[in-house]
Each structure stands twice: as C-alpha cells, then as structure tokens.
Amino acid sequence: MAIRFAIFILILAVALLVLPRLFARRVPPFQAPAPPQEWWQRAVFYEVYPRSFADSNDNGIGDIPGITSRLDYLHSLGVDAVWITPCFPSPQVDFGYDVSDYENIDPMYGSLADMDLLIAEAKKRDMRIILDFVMNHTSDQHPWFLDSRSSRTAAKRDWYIWRDGKGPGQPPNNWTSVFGGSAWQYDPATGQYYYHYFYPQQPDLNWRNPAVKKAMFDSVRFWYERGISGFRLDAVDTLFEDPNLTDNPVLPGTNKFGDPKTEEKYNAKLPEVHDILRELRALSDQYHAVLIGETWTKTIEELKAYYGLHDNELQMPMDFLFTTVPKLSATDFRTQISGVNSAGWPVYVVSNHDIVRSYTRWGDGVHNDQIAKLIAAMYLTLRGTPILYYGEEIGMKNTDPTLKDEVKDPIGRRGWPLEKGRDGERTPMQWSDAPNAGFSSVAPWLPVPPTYKTYNVETELKDPASILNFYKGVLALRRTQPALRDGAWIAVNENDPNVLAYLRRSGDQTILVALNMSDAPQAIRLKLGPQGLSSARPTTLLTTLSTPPDTVSGKVHLEPFGVWIARLDK
Ligand code: GLC
C-alpha cells in the first residue's frame, strides 16, 4: 500500500513537473518587432494653439515668446516635439487658418526672430518645432488672391478656381462649404465665382497649376532651412476637385447649417492628392522632417492610403477615427487600435482645436478625473506616436459659449445653436490659480472656466494624485521602458466588453496594461497562456488602484475606471 502510494506520488510529481514544460514548449517563441528607428516614432508631440497657450505681452492673446517661456514646462512633461497651429500673418477670420504670407510671423504673435529663438531654445532641450502648412487655401487678402481676383487675365488668375455660374445667381454646381452655404462665391468685379471649401475668405488654391505647387513648396523649404522639423498638413483631403465640377450626390436631410446633406464625392479625397504628398515627402526627407496629416477618414482603408503604397507619403496621418468612439467602450477602442495597427505606424489623437476636449467627450460627469487618467494610460501606452492637445494633461474641459453674442468662431455664429463653434476647446491654458488662470494679466480673448482654480499646472504639480502628475508618470514610463517605446501591441481578453487589456512586448520585456472602462468593479481572469505568461510575476509600474494585484494567475480586481500598468516577469 505504502509502495503504491509512493509510486502514485512519484508519478504525480513527474507529471506536475513535466506537463507544464511540455505545454510551455507549445507556446511559439515571441518574435519581437524591429524597434522603431525614426525620431518621430519615439517622440511625444504636443499641439499648441498659439492664441491660447501663453501671453508674454499681456494683451489677452498668446504669442511665440510665450511658448518659448514654457518650453521647460513642456520638457519636464515629457514632450519632444511641439506643433504650433498657424502663426503666420493672417486677417484671423479663421484664427490663422487664413494665411496672407507663408514666410513670416503675424505681428500679433511676434516676429521671425522670435520664431528663430523658439527653434533654437527648443533645440537646446532636444525638442523640435513643427509648423502648420495650410495647403488647401490662402486668405482672400493674400497678394496671390488679390492679383487673381483683379481681372480674368491676371497673372495669378489660374492660381485659384474660378468658374462661370450656371446662370444668373446660380453657382457652378451644388458643392457646399463645410462651414455652411455654397462653396462658390460670386465676385462682381470679374463676373465669375471662386471656390472655397471653407470660409469665403479662404479661397481654394488650384493645385493643378504647377506654379502654385512651386510657390508652396518654396515656402516649405523656407521653414525647413530655418530649422523646423516638419509640418502638420492642414485639410489635405480637399486639395483637389473634379475639373468637370460634377454635382455631388445629394443625401437625405440637412446639416447643422441647414444645407442639404451631400456626399463629397467630387471635391474630397481625389487620387491626385497622393502625387503631391509623394513630392512633398521627397522634399521633407531631405531635411529628416516629418509630415503629419489632418486626415479625416471614414475607414481604416482610407487612412491607410495616406501612408502611401510604399510608405512614401505621410509618416503620420492622424487617426481621427479614434476620436469618433462615442463613449468609453473597451470593444470599440480595441477595434480601433487593432485597425490602425494594421494600417501603418499609428498616430493617436484624443482631441484638438476642432474637436471637443476628451475630458468632456468621454467624461461621465461623475468620474471625469479618473476617466482622464484612464484615457492618458491608454493613448500614451499604445504602439504609435501620440499627439497631446494643450491642457489635456491638466484635465481642461470644454467651455462652450452660452450666448450667441459671445461666440468668436464664425461657424458658431452661423450655425447657432446646433453648431456652437470651436471656442469651447480653445480656451486659454490654465497655468495657475491667479486671475485669468495665470495666462494673462488682462481678460483673455476667450474666458477661462471657474474650475481653473483647481485645474491648473501650478496647483496640480503639487498634488501627487493630480491628472498632470499622472500624465508625467505615464510619459516617464514610455521613455524608460523599452516595451512601451518599442514593443509590439498584443490584445488580451479580446472579448471583454468592460476591460481593455493589452501587452506591450519587446525582446526582453513585457508590460501589461489593464483599463477598466466601466463604472463598476471588474474581476477578470487574464488569458496570458497563449503568451506563455500565465504564471508571470507582476510588478506594478503605475496604477490608480487602491490595491494593485500581486498575481496574474488568479482573479484580477479592477476598481471602476481603474488603471493597472505592470511589468510581467516570467
Ligand atoms: C483645418 C483646421 C481648422 C480650420 C480648417 C480650415 O480643419 O484644423 O481649424 O478651420 O482647416 O483651414
């Protein structure tokens, strides 16, 4: 009996020792992806809306010296590249997106010397400056357009898109401006219409004219020679239009401006845009510069096209599909993340100067601060390059105008109340709890919300549990942990509707990110077997959980909107 029992124990021991090894051998060895090599793949980008970032001369409007004065802050946050939205001379109808001189700085923001200093000071900190290239249109006050509209035979007539109307008072076709109304503006001086996809004060350039391309590329070179490291390309989708001016198909219903809805079949995403992008890329490659695209796409396939068939177009087309996830949803984010991973090098954006702030969009009104941290833990730990929008790191919320008379953004005045405009996401950066949030000593161009008293850089820096310190923590991890910087992205528990969990894995390191996207506690069993990690030992790197798990083999408990980032060691 005793012998039988001993044999049984022996067999059991052998089985326990051998079986897991046999099983473990079935796990295919992990193939680490080649680490990304390009500077922009390893960089963290930060968008500055210059009117609203820092006001150095106390006139209520931000400026370039203001940005320079805050470089140390951005550096300590973990930012490597700063994209500044247009700061060129402009009548400011669209707050700088109506450029009247591509090779200068608007006096409101400073001078070329100020920009040179900003570039030099950034360089000292190993940071780069990215400018905004408004390619689709100029201001109607640009000397090119002033010439173009002066007569039908003007030298630059063909630099813009001029056409006869269909008849008296009838525009050439049914194309509408994305900012409301017909996209055609009648000009009585020469009796023709010009095309403007945006405001009438933003006439579209004719990119089919080689002289336009040359002049615009010269300006790109001008800035590269001055030391900038790339451009964010404005409105690339709409550079070209069908030369036959075919009417767009009409869809049911009306838009926020009361115009009939149409499908932009003949005035957006024409294939010709790719020829321009390839040429611009070749020019940019000479300067090791990066091209970031304002690429509004409806599908991953459309997004993929912007990388170019041979990765020879945009290095960083922004994935706006990510911002269209309507509410916090592990399932939807998982789908988006794996989609963009299959398209090319992902570029993550959660809000910008045209899109409602993420704090407001994904906040539930009760747990907004936890959700802001959860979002940071997500988009800053993914494989890809993140672009932060100023103020996201301190939990700035949208502050929309409450009265039509207060609205500054013209689309808000035209579309009120359905379209309130974009003032809400453009309010001044909240630097401290001093009057006007420390942005300016006079009333700023847009009001700051009363919550600035708590949500501001100075106050949050002192609070270890603040959103700002959480951002700093995640960005520090991204810098120091090879798996977060270079590793593959691998989804785990792919069917979980509440918890978004994934691994970042490089040759010798694995990091687990588990995000509870629900307002209820979740207890999950992580399915790490396929990765050969079911009995790995976790070491918590960053968490919002009161009691972070000490094992991954049992149930992992995540508090509502809880974040757990842990290194896994075999
Ligand atoms: C882009 C900009 C937006 C601007 C428009 C017209 O969409 O992001 O702010 O109004 O282009 O230039």
Side-chain angles (χ1 to χ4, degrees), residues 47 49 83 85-86 94-98 132 134 136-137 178-179 197-199 202 232-235 294 296 320 352-354 409 411 422 426:
E47 177 189 352
Y49 195 69
W83 150 37
T85 64
D94 193 15
F95 300 114
Y97 279 98
D98 44 328
D132 207 310
V134 187
N136 178 72
H137 49 268
V178 71
F179 287 166
Y197 183 77
F198 297 95
Y199 294 123
Q202 294 170 302
R232 174 264 191 188
L233 307 182
D234 186 59
E294 191 203 9
W296 291 100
F320 289 123
N352 73 19
H353 64 283
D354 298 323
D409 185 13
I411 57 170
R422 298 161 291 181
R426 297 174 174 179

mmCIF file of all heavy atoms in Angstrom, residues 47 49 83 85-86 94-98 132 134 136-137 178-179 197-199 202 232-235 294 296 320 352-354 409 411 422 426, ligand 1:
data_model
loop_
_atom_site.group_PDB
_atom_site.id
_atom_site.type_symbol
_atom_site.label_atom_id
_atom_site.label_comp_id
_atom_site.label_asym_id
_atom_site.label_seq_id
_atom_site.Cartn_x
_atom_site.Cartn_y
_atom_site.Cartn_z
ATOM 1 N N GLU A 47 0.326 69.634 -29.238
ATOM 2 C CA GLU A 47 -0.237 70.711 -30.068
ATOM 3 C C GLU A 47 -0.460 71.975 -29.240
ATOM 4 O O GLU A 47 -1.132 71.940 -28.216
ATOM 5 C CB GLU A 47 -1.584 70.273 -30.678
ATOM 6 C CG GLU A 47 -2.199 71.417 -31.465
ATOM 7 C CD GLU A 47 -3.634 71.182 -31.933
ATOM 8 O OE1 GLU A 47 -4.156 70.061 -31.795
ATOM 9 O OE2 GLU A 47 -4.222 72.154 -32.419
ATOM 10 N N TYR A 49 -2.074 75.762 -29.494
ATOM 11 C CA TYR A 49 -2.895 76.740 -30.214
ATOM 12 C C TYR A 49 -2.375 78.094 -29.735
ATOM 13 O O TYR A 49 -2.631 78.494 -28.592
ATOM 14 C CB TYR A 49 -4.372 76.514 -29.841
ATOM 15 C CG TYR A 49 -5.357 77.188 -30.764
ATOM 16 C CD1 TYR A 49 -5.515 76.750 -32.077
ATOM 17 C CD2 TYR A 49 -6.115 78.272 -30.332
ATOM 18 C CE1 TYR A 49 -6.419 77.362 -32.931
ATOM 19 C CE2 TYR A 49 -7.027 78.886 -31.182
ATOM 20 C CZ TYR A 49 -7.170 78.429 -32.472
ATOM 21 O OH TYR A 49 -8.066 79.035 -33.327
ATOM 22 N N TRP A 83 3.913 71.100 -32.007
ATOM 23 C CA TRP A 83 3.250 71.557 -33.245
ATOM 24 C C TRP A 83 2.463 72.819 -32.902
ATOM 25 O O TRP A 83 1.626 72.797 -32.009
ATOM 26 C CB TRP A 83 2.351 70.448 -33.793
ATOM 27 C CG TRP A 83 1.142 70.932 -34.568
ATOM 28 C CD1 TRP A 83 1.069 72.016 -35.405
ATOM 29 C CD2 TRP A 83 -0.170 70.364 -34.549
ATOM 30 N NE1 TRP A 83 -0.205 72.148 -35.913
ATOM 31 C CE2 TRP A 83 -0.981 71.150 -35.409
ATOM 32 C CE3 TRP A 83 -0.731 69.251 -33.910
ATOM 33 C CZ2 TRP A 83 -2.329 70.866 -35.623
ATOM 34 C CZ3 TRP A 83 -2.083 68.975 -34.121
ATOM 35 C CH2 TRP A 83 -2.860 69.771 -34.978
ATOM 36 N N THR A 85 -0.115 75.592 -34.250
ATOM 37 C CA THR A 85 -1.093 75.862 -35.310
ATOM 38 C C THR A 85 -0.769 77.242 -35.913
ATOM 39 O O THR A 85 0.015 77.998 -35.334
ATOM 40 C CB THR A 85 -2.551 75.740 -34.801
ATOM 41 O OG1 THR A 85 -2.760 76.744 -33.821
ATOM 42 C CG2 THR A 85 -2.833 74.366 -34.211
ATOM 43 N N PRO A 86 -1.326 77.600 -37.071
ATOM 44 C CA PRO A 86 -0.766 78.708 -37.853
ATOM 45 C C PRO A 86 -0.543 80.009 -37.077
ATOM 46 O O PRO A 86 -1.447 80.510 -36.405
ATOM 47 C CB PRO A 86 -1.805 78.920 -38.945
ATOM 48 C CG PRO A 86 -2.455 77.599 -39.091
ATOM 49 C CD PRO A 86 -2.489 77.010 -37.724
ATOM 50 N N ASP A 94 -10.286 82.937 -39.707
ATOM 51 C CA ASP A 94 -10.343 81.575 -39.163
ATOM 52 C C ASP A 94 -9.174 81.387 -38.185
ATOM 53 O O ASP A 94 -8.556 80.329 -38.122
ATOM 54 C CB ASP A 94 -10.267 80.552 -40.310
ATOM 55 C CG ASP A 94 -10.641 79.150 -39.868
ATOM 56 O OD1 ASP A 94 -11.231 78.999 -38.776
ATOM 57 O OD2 ASP A 94 -10.328 78.194 -40.606
ATOM 58 N N PHE A 95 -8.881 82.452 -37.433
ATOM 59 C CA PHE A 95 -7.833 82.431 -36.403
ATOM 60 C C PHE A 95 -6.526 81.816 -36.896
ATOM 61 O O PHE A 95 -5.967 80.923 -36.276
ATOM 62 C CB PHE A 95 -8.352 81.759 -35.132
ATOM 63 C CG PHE A 95 -9.539 82.491 -34.576
ATOM 64 C CD1 PHE A 95 -10.788 81.915 -34.550
ATOM 65 C CD2 PHE A 95 -9.402 83.803 -34.142
ATOM 66 C CE1 PHE A 95 -11.895 82.627 -34.099
ATOM 67 C CE2 PHE A 95 -10.490 84.522 -33.687
ATOM 68 C CZ PHE A 95 -11.738 83.933 -33.660
ATOM 69 N N GLY A 96 -6.076 82.302 -38.047
ATOM 70 C CA GLY A 96 -4.754 81.917 -38.544
ATOM 71 C C GLY A 96 -4.794 80.918 -39.684
ATOM 72 O O GLY A 96 -3.818 80.779 -40.420
ATOM 73 N N TYR A 97 -5.919 80.223 -39.844
ATOM 74 C CA TYR A 97 -6.014 79.258 -40.947
ATOM 75 C C TYR A 97 -6.370 79.967 -42.269
ATOM 76 O O TYR A 97 -6.741 79.324 -43.245
ATOM 77 C CB TYR A 97 -6.998 78.138 -40.621
ATOM 78 C CG TYR A 97 -6.354 77.078 -39.742
ATOM 79 C CD1 TYR A 97 -6.537 77.066 -38.366
ATOM 80 C CD2 TYR A 97 -5.507 76.116 -40.290
ATOM 81 C CE1 TYR A 97 -5.911 76.116 -37.566
ATOM 82 C CE2 TYR A 97 -4.877 75.170 -39.499
ATOM 83 C CZ TYR A 97 -5.087 75.172 -38.141
ATOM 84 O OH TYR A 97 -4.464 74.238 -37.362
ATOM 85 N N ASP A 98 -6.272 81.279 -42.245
ATOM 86 C CA ASP A 98 -6.409 82.073 -43.471
ATOM 87 C C ASP A 98 -5.102 82.866 -43.589
ATOM 88 O O ASP A 98 -4.976 83.956 -43.053
ATOM 89 C CB ASP A 98 -7.636 82.987 -43.395
ATOM 90 C CG ASP A 98 -7.788 83.710 -42.052
ATOM 91 O OD1 ASP A 98 -7.400 83.162 -40.996
ATOM 92 O OD2 ASP A 98 -8.272 84.857 -42.049
ATOM 93 N N ASP A 132 2.374 74.495 -39.047
ATOM 94 C CA ASP A 132 1.142 74.061 -39.700
ATOM 95 C C ASP A 132 1.177 74.585 -41.129
ATOM 96 O O ASP A 132 1.418 75.770 -41.343
ATOM 97 C CB ASP A 132 -0.045 74.677 -38.934
ATOM 98 C CG ASP A 132 -1.307 73.863 -39.033
ATOM 99 O OD1 ASP A 132 -1.677 73.502 -40.163
ATOM 100 O OD2 ASP A 132 -1.944 73.610 -37.992
ATOM 101 N N VAL A 134 -0.900 75.335 -44.275
ATOM 102 C CA VAL A 134 -2.275 75.466 -44.763
ATOM 103 C C VAL A 134 -2.220 75.425 -46.293
ATOM 104 O O VAL A 134 -1.988 76.420 -46.962
ATOM 105 C CB VAL A 134 -2.925 76.768 -44.243
ATOM 106 C CG1 VAL A 134 -4.398 76.801 -44.616
ATOM 107 C CG2 VAL A 134 -2.754 76.870 -42.734
ATOM 108 N N ASN A 136 -4.510 74.001 -48.592
ATOM 109 C CA ASN A 136 -5.700 73.933 -49.435
ATOM 110 C C ASN A 136 -6.123 75.299 -49.966
ATOM 111 O O ASN A 136 -6.670 75.396 -51.052
ATOM 112 C CB ASN A 136 -6.828 73.315 -48.605
ATOM 113 C CG ASN A 136 -8.127 73.239 -49.345
ATOM 114 O OD1 ASN A 136 -8.273 72.437 -50.253
ATOM 115 N ND2 ASN A 136 -9.071 74.109 -48.990
ATOM 116 N N HIS A 137 -5.848 76.332 -49.132
ATOM 117 C CA HIS A 137 -6.385 77.664 -49.447
ATOM 118 C C HIS A 137 -5.479 78.722 -48.851
ATOM 119 O O HIS A 137 -4.668 78.420 -47.966
ATOM 120 C CB HIS A 137 -7.789 77.803 -48.842
ATOM 121 C CG HIS A 137 -7.814 77.385 -47.397
ATOM 122 N ND1 HIS A 137 -8.103 76.095 -47.006
ATOM 123 C CD2 HIS A 137 -7.534 78.044 -46.251
ATOM 124 C CE1 HIS A 137 -8.017 75.995 -45.695
ATOM 125 N NE2 HIS A 137 -7.657 77.154 -45.206
ATOM 126 N N VAL A 178 -17.888 73.380 -46.037
ATOM 127 C CA VAL A 178 -18.030 72.661 -44.771
ATOM 128 C C VAL A 178 -18.384 73.642 -43.644
ATOM 129 O O VAL A 178 -18.849 73.244 -42.583
ATOM 130 C CB VAL A 178 -16.737 71.856 -44.472
ATOM 131 C CG1 VAL A 178 -15.589 72.764 -44.094
ATOM 132 C CG2 VAL A 178 -16.936 70.794 -43.416
ATOM 133 N N PHE A 179 -18.186 74.939 -43.911
ATOM 134 C CA PHE A 179 -18.533 75.967 -42.920
ATOM 135 C C PHE A 179 -19.894 76.614 -43.219
ATOM 136 O O PHE A 179 -20.237 77.657 -42.681
ATOM 137 C CB PHE A 179 -17.442 77.036 -42.867
ATOM 138 C CG PHE A 179 -16.165 76.590 -42.185
ATOM 139 C CD1 PHE A 179 -14.996 77.336 -42.316
ATOM 140 C CD2 PHE A 179 -16.116 75.446 -41.395
ATOM 141 C CE1 PHE A 179 -13.816 76.941 -41.678
ATOM 142 C CE2 PHE A 179 -14.945 75.045 -40.763
ATOM 143 C CZ PHE A 179 -13.792 75.793 -40.907
ATOM 144 N N TYR A 197 -13.699 75.805 -50.051
ATOM 145 C CA TYR A 197 -14.254 74.697 -49.280
ATOM 146 C C TYR A 197 -14.580 75.155 -47.851
ATOM 147 O O TYR A 197 -15.482 74.642 -47.219
ATOM 148 C CB TYR A 197 -13.248 73.534 -49.250
ATOM 149 C CG TYR A 197 -13.761 72.315 -48.531
ATOM 150 C CD1 TYR A 197 -14.673 71.456 -49.140
ATOM 151 C CD2 TYR A 197 -13.356 72.036 -47.227
ATOM 152 C CE1 TYR A 197 -15.163 70.348 -48.482
ATOM 153 C CE2 TYR A 197 -13.840 70.921 -46.553
ATOM 154 C CZ TYR A 197 -14.746 70.081 -47.185
ATOM 155 O OH TYR A 197 -15.231 68.987 -46.526
ATOM 156 N N PHE A 198 -13.783 76.164 -47.374
ATOM 157 C CA PHE A 198 -14.033 76.686 -46.019
ATOM 158 C C PHE A 198 -14.738 78.051 -46.147
ATOM 159 O O PHE A 198 -15.625 78.181 -46.982
ATOM 160 C CB PHE A 198 -12.721 76.716 -45.230
ATOM 161 C CG PHE A 198 -12.139 75.326 -45.022
ATOM 162 C CD1 PHE A 198 -11.180 74.818 -45.892
ATOM 163 C CD2 PHE A 198 -12.590 74.505 -44.009
ATOM 164 C CE1 PHE A 198 -10.664 73.536 -45.724
ATOM 165 C CE2 PHE A 198 -12.087 73.219 -43.832
ATOM 166 C CZ PHE A 198 -11.121 72.739 -44.690
ATOM 167 N N TYR A 199 -14.311 79.059 -45.374
ATOM 168 C CA TYR A 199 -14.999 80.364 -45.453
ATOM 169 C C TYR A 199 -14.756 81.021 -46.809
ATOM 170 O O TYR A 199 -13.739 80.753 -47.464
ATOM 171 C CB TYR A 199 -14.471 81.305 -44.366
ATOM 172 C CG TYR A 199 -14.793 80.886 -42.958
ATOM 173 C CD1 TYR A 199 -13.781 80.682 -42.032
ATOM 174 C CD2 TYR A 199 -16.111 80.711 -42.547
ATOM 175 C CE1 TYR A 199 -14.063 80.297 -40.729
ATOM 176 C CE2 TYR A 199 -16.403 80.324 -41.246
ATOM 177 C CZ TYR A 199 -15.372 80.119 -40.341
ATOM 178 O OH TYR A 199 -15.654 79.733 -39.066
ATOM 179 N N GLN A 202 -11.405 82.231 -47.540
ATOM 180 C CA GLN A 202 -10.354 81.205 -47.687
ATOM 181 C C GLN A 202 -10.471 80.539 -49.070
ATOM 182 O O GLN A 202 -10.817 79.361 -49.174
ATOM 183 C CB GLN A 202 -10.496 80.153 -46.584
ATOM 184 C CG GLN A 202 -10.227 80.691 -45.181
ATOM 185 C CD GLN A 202 -10.605 79.702 -44.105
ATOM 186 O OE1 GLN A 202 -11.765 79.275 -44.032
ATOM 187 N NE2 GLN A 202 -9.662 79.321 -43.283
ATOM 188 N N ARG A 232 2.464 69.920 -39.940
ATOM 189 C CA ARG A 232 1.150 69.290 -39.893
ATOM 190 C C ARG A 232 0.425 69.876 -41.112
ATOM 191 O O ARG A 232 0.392 71.091 -41.305
ATOM 192 C CB ARG A 232 0.462 69.655 -38.581
ATOM 193 C CG ARG A 232 -0.989 69.174 -38.439
ATOM 194 C CD ARG A 232 -1.922 70.269 -38.838
ATOM 195 N NE ARG A 232 -3.309 69.985 -38.486
ATOM 196 C CZ ARG A 232 -4.327 70.736 -38.866
ATOM 197 N NH1 ARG A 232 -4.124 71.818 -39.608
ATOM 198 N NH2 ARG A 232 -5.553 70.444 -38.517
ATOM 199 N N LEU A 233 -0.069 69.006 -41.977
ATOM 200 C CA LEU A 233 -0.681 69.458 -43.224
ATOM 201 C C LEU A 233 -2.174 69.634 -43.017
ATOM 202 O O LEU A 233 -2.897 68.671 -42.730
ATOM 203 C CB LEU A 233 -0.419 68.442 -44.338
ATOM 204 C CG LEU A 233 1.053 68.060 -44.558
ATOM 205 C CD1 LEU A 233 1.160 67.084 -45.727
ATOM 206 C CD2 LEU A 233 1.908 69.285 -44.812
ATOM 207 N N ASP A 234 -2.596 70.875 -43.181
ATOM 208 C CA ASP A 234 -3.995 71.210 -42.964
ATOM 209 C C ASP A 234 -4.847 70.737 -44.147
ATOM 210 O O ASP A 234 -4.467 70.917 -45.314
ATOM 211 C CB ASP A 234 -4.098 72.737 -42.835
ATOM 212 C CG ASP A 234 -5.478 73.206 -42.464
ATOM 213 O OD1 ASP A 234 -5.966 72.784 -41.411
ATOM 214 O OD2 ASP A 234 -6.070 73.998 -43.220
ATOM 215 N N ALA A 235 -5.973 70.171 -43.854
ATOM 216 C CA ALA A 235 -7.026 69.904 -44.856
ATOM 217 C C ALA A 235 -6.507 69.226 -46.127
ATOM 218 O O ALA A 235 -6.871 69.624 -47.233
ATOM 219 C CB ALA A 235 -7.736 71.216 -45.203
ATOM 220 N N GLU A 294 -3.713 66.075 -41.462
ATOM 221 C CA GLU A 294 -5.073 66.237 -40.946
ATOM 222 C C GLU A 294 -5.959 65.392 -41.855
ATOM 223 O O GLU A 294 -6.533 65.872 -42.826
ATOM 224 C CB GLU A 294 -5.529 67.697 -40.976
ATOM 225 C CG GLU A 294 -6.817 67.846 -40.195
ATOM 226 C CD GLU A 294 -7.672 69.052 -40.560
ATOM 227 O OE1 GLU A 294 -7.377 69.733 -41.558
ATOM 228 O OE2 GLU A 294 -8.660 69.286 -39.859
ATOM 229 N N TRP A 296 -9.020 63.248 -42.342
ATOM 230 C CA TRP A 296 -10.359 62.832 -41.878
ATOM 231 C C TRP A 296 -10.771 61.643 -42.723
ATOM 232 O O TRP A 296 -11.023 61.793 -43.918
ATOM 233 C CB TRP A 296 -11.358 63.969 -42.064
ATOM 234 C CG TRP A 296 -11.107 65.107 -41.143
ATOM 235 C CD1 TRP A 296 -10.467 66.277 -41.452
ATOM 236 C CD2 TRP A 296 -11.455 65.195 -39.759
ATOM 237 N NE1 TRP A 296 -10.409 67.079 -40.347
ATOM 238 C CE2 TRP A 296 -11.011 66.453 -39.296
ATOM 239 C CE3 TRP A 296 -12.100 64.325 -38.865
ATOM 240 C CZ2 TRP A 296 -11.184 66.863 -37.979
ATOM 241 C CZ3 TRP A 296 -12.278 64.739 -37.560
ATOM 242 C CH2 TRP A 296 -11.822 65.989 -37.123
ATOM 243 N N PHE A 320 -8.237 60.001 -36.824
ATOM 244 C CA PHE A 320 -9.368 60.650 -36.149
ATOM 245 C C PHE A 320 -10.497 59.680 -35.834
ATOM 246 O O PHE A 320 -11.408 60.019 -35.087
ATOM 247 C CB PHE A 320 -9.911 61.804 -37.002
ATOM 248 C CG PHE A 320 -8.987 62.980 -37.054
ATOM 249 C CD1 PHE A 320 -8.526 63.461 -38.260
ATOM 250 C CD2 PHE A 320 -8.573 63.608 -35.891
ATOM 251 C CE1 PHE A 320 -7.670 64.545 -38.308
ATOM 252 C CE2 PHE A 320 -7.713 64.687 -35.927
ATOM 253 C CZ PHE A 320 -7.262 65.156 -37.145
ATOM 254 N N ASN A 352 -8.407 68.027 -30.305
ATOM 255 C CA ASN A 352 -7.599 69.114 -30.863
ATOM 256 C C ASN A 352 -8.446 70.383 -30.957
ATOM 257 O O ASN A 352 -9.536 70.440 -30.377
ATOM 258 C CB ASN A 352 -6.956 68.699 -32.204
ATOM 259 C CG ASN A 352 -7.942 68.617 -33.348
ATOM 260 O OD1 ASN A 352 -9.040 69.173 -33.304
ATOM 261 N ND2 ASN A 352 -7.559 67.928 -34.400
ATOM 262 N N HIS A 353 -7.947 71.368 -31.670
ATOM 263 C CA HIS A 353 -8.604 72.682 -31.688
ATOM 264 C C HIS A 353 -9.909 72.678 -32.480
ATOM 265 O O HIS A 353 -10.574 73.716 -32.563
ATOM 266 C CB HIS A 353 -7.631 73.724 -32.260
ATOM 267 C CG HIS A 353 -7.272 73.449 -33.678
ATOM 268 N ND1 HIS A 353 -6.362 72.475 -34.045
ATOM 269 C CD2 HIS A 353 -7.727 73.975 -34.838
ATOM 270 C CE1 HIS A 353 -6.278 72.434 -35.359
ATOM 271 N NE2 HIS A 353 -7.091 73.326 -35.869
ATOM 272 N N ASP A 354 -10.259 71.539 -33.089
ATOM 273 C CA ASP A 354 -11.534 71.429 -33.817
ATOM 274 C C ASP A 354 -12.479 70.417 -33.170
ATOM 275 O O ASP A 354 -13.592 70.217 -33.660
ATOM 276 C CB ASP A 354 -11.294 70.930 -35.258
ATOM 277 C CG ASP A 354 -10.443 71.871 -36.079
ATOM 278 O OD1 ASP A 354 -10.590 73.091 -35.927
ATOM 279 O OD2 ASP A 354 -9.620 71.377 -36.878
ATOM 280 N N ASP A 409 -15.857 82.054 -32.877
ATOM 281 C CA ASP A 409 -15.625 81.244 -34.068
ATOM 282 C C ASP A 409 -16.802 81.444 -35.034
ATOM 283 O O ASP A 409 -17.946 81.130 -34.698
ATOM 284 C CB ASP A 409 -15.533 79.767 -33.635
ATOM 285 C CG ASP A 409 -15.182 78.842 -34.789
ATOM 286 O OD1 ASP A 409 -14.768 79.343 -35.853
ATOM 287 O OD2 ASP A 409 -15.307 77.610 -34.617
ATOM 288 N N ILE A 411 -18.139 79.880 -37.423
ATOM 289 C CA ILE A 411 -19.118 78.803 -37.683
ATOM 290 C C ILE A 411 -20.127 78.690 -36.543
ATOM 291 O O ILE A 411 -21.258 78.256 -36.743
ATOM 292 C CB ILE A 411 -18.491 77.407 -37.966
ATOM 293 C CG1 ILE A 411 -17.593 76.920 -36.851
ATOM 294 C CG2 ILE A 411 -17.810 77.358 -39.303
ATOM 295 C CD1 ILE A 411 -17.183 75.445 -37.023
ATOM 296 N N ARG A 422 -16.013 76.368 -32.212
ATOM 297 C CA ARG A 422 -14.920 75.646 -31.579
ATOM 298 C C ARG A 422 -14.258 76.423 -30.443
ATOM 299 O O ARG A 422 -13.196 76.045 -29.967
ATOM 300 C CB ARG A 422 -13.901 75.276 -32.667
ATOM 301 C CG ARG A 422 -14.501 74.347 -33.729
ATOM 302 C CD ARG A 422 -13.699 74.333 -35.007
ATOM 303 N NE ARG A 422 -13.793 75.612 -35.702
ATOM 304 C CZ ARG A 422 -13.200 75.885 -36.863
ATOM 305 N NH1 ARG A 422 -12.470 74.973 -37.462
ATOM 306 N NH2 ARG A 422 -13.319 77.082 -37.427
ATOM 307 N N ARG A 426 -10.838 75.839 -27.192
ATOM 308 C CA ARG A 426 -9.689 76.708 -27.469
ATOM 309 C C ARG A 426 -9.421 77.700 -26.352
ATOM 310 O O ARG A 426 -8.724 78.693 -26.560
ATOM 311 C CB ARG A 426 -9.945 77.475 -28.773
ATOM 312 C CG ARG A 426 -10.077 76.572 -29.982
ATOM 313 C CD ARG A 426 -10.473 77.341 -31.223
ATOM 314 N NE ARG A 426 -10.457 76.477 -32.403
ATOM 315 C CZ ARG A 426 -10.784 76.886 -33.618
ATOM 316 N NH1 ARG A 426 -11.139 78.138 -33.830
ATOM 317 N NH2 ARG A 426 -10.731 76.040 -34.639
HETATM 318 C C1 GLC B 1 -8.498 72.592 -40.558
HETATM 319 C C2 GLC B 1 -8.186 73.269 -39.264
HETATM 320 C C3 GLC B 1 -9.361 74.104 -38.860
HETATM 321 C C4 GLC B 1 -9.590 75.142 -39.941
HETATM 322 C C5 GLC B 1 -9.730 74.482 -41.305
HETATM 323 C C6 GLC B 1 -9.640 75.484 -42.408
HETATM 324 O O1 GLC B 1 -9.575 71.741 -40.460
HETATM 325 O O2 GLC B 1 -7.850 72.321 -38.295
HETATM 326 O O3 GLC B 1 -9.182 74.708 -37.617
HETATM 327 O O4 GLC B 1 -10.724 75.886 -39.645
HETATM 328 O O5 GLC B 1 -8.717 73.552 -41.537
HETATM 329 O O6 GLC B 1 -8.314 75.885 -42.587
#
